[in-house]
Amino acid sequence: MPEGEGEINGAFGPACVRLDTGGKREVVWIQRLCPTRGRVMNVPATKGRRFGEIVVHDGEPTGERTYNGQSVAVFDELLLFEASSLPTLHVTVNAADASDVDALVASFFAHDFGAEPASSFHMLCACCSEGRVDWNKAGAPTHGGSQTVWLAAPETEARQLLDTWAAGGERGWNGLELFG
């Protein structure tokens, strides 16, 4: 723990939090800021939470995820601590292959925004979600073709990044809309 008084804003590593927004549950990755708070690092596909928000989570894990050999706990969200100003948008993208979609995601993260392709989502039943889930990047790769991508960025910047990305090859986008 860092010395001093006040709010702790450390780097306590990754974890997962099970968000509960109006009865819809979704597990997202967080960067832990202290033992009970974390910043949401995914773009949630359910309404009610946003990329970059800080949530308070329970101290007792209710599941486990492994990613490339590293085990992390899944905690249940208790409450929203700090809202994000970034809106959630969704867009349909068309890409020749997975590397094109990966390039789009990387361009958003390079600007401190978020992007989450539909092909990166994994639907699990409640029982499995509360257990141990082994996941590795090779197990469910992003794919090319046409798909929805959730974005966390101001609309103007999102359009600029999408246009720049589309100019880089056999890529296109349409239907950018506010989500929620």
Side-chain angles (χ1 to χ4, degrees), residues 7-27:
E7 186 178 315
I8 299 169
N9 281 310
F12 287 73
C16 292
V17 167
R18 186 173 293 102
L19 303 174
D20 189 351
T21 56
K24 297 197 179 209
R25 301 180 79 181
E26 178 178 2
V27 175

Side-chain angles (χ1 to χ4, degrees), residues 89 108 111 113 153-163 176:
L89 309 164
F108 273 77
H111 288 86
F113 300 140
E155 186 175 349
T156 302
E157 285 91 333
R159 288 182 183 282
Q160 291 170 345
L161 289 169
L162 286 162
D163 284 341
L176 181 66

